[in-house]
Amino acid sequence: MRRIMPFLSTCGLLPQRVGPLDEEICSLLAKRKELSDENPGFPDSDLISKWSQKFALNVNWLRRMFVVYLQGEECY
């Protein structure tokens, strides 16, 4: 049986002000899962590049975020 190790944050305690944003991220992921019928697909590279610029996010980091999402919950 595989043991799951607890995740220990190296950033200290999460400030209370970002907790609601994290909850919203979880809500949006659940909505995306529902709308995609649990077949997440992968956004077009051009879209990811546009979002990277629009939201001032590193394009490679954003791609990795979708790769992790694409792997699905069952991978963990």
Side-chain angles (χ1 to χ4, degrees):
M1 176 180 246
R2 184 175 153 193
R3 281 183 31 174
I4 299 175
M5 300 297 292
F7 177 77
L8 301 174
S9 174
T10 59
C11 299
L13 295 176
L14 177 69
Q16 292 291 11
R17 65 179 185 232
V18 298
L21 291 173
D22 291 339
E23 184 175 5
E24 187 175 349
I25 290 168
C26 292
S27 173
L28 290 171
L29 288 171
K31 287 178 187 176
R32 191 180 194 283
K33 181 178 178 180
E34 180 183 335
L35 289 173
S36 69
D37 293 324
E38 298 190 35
N39 182 14
F42 195 84
D44 182 83
S45 185
D46 289 337
L47 274 177
I48 292 177
S49 293
K50 287 178 186 177
W51 295 335
S52 167
Q53 292 175 4
K54 180 177 180 177
F55 298 109
L57 298 169
N58 179 285
V59 69
N60 291 320
W61 176 82
L62 197 53
R63 282 187 187 114
R64 285 192 302 270
M65 293 299 291
F66 280 102
V67 166
V68 168
Y69 180 77
L70 182 64
Q71 290 174 342
E73 294 176 67
E74 63 277 353
C75 293
Y76 301 96

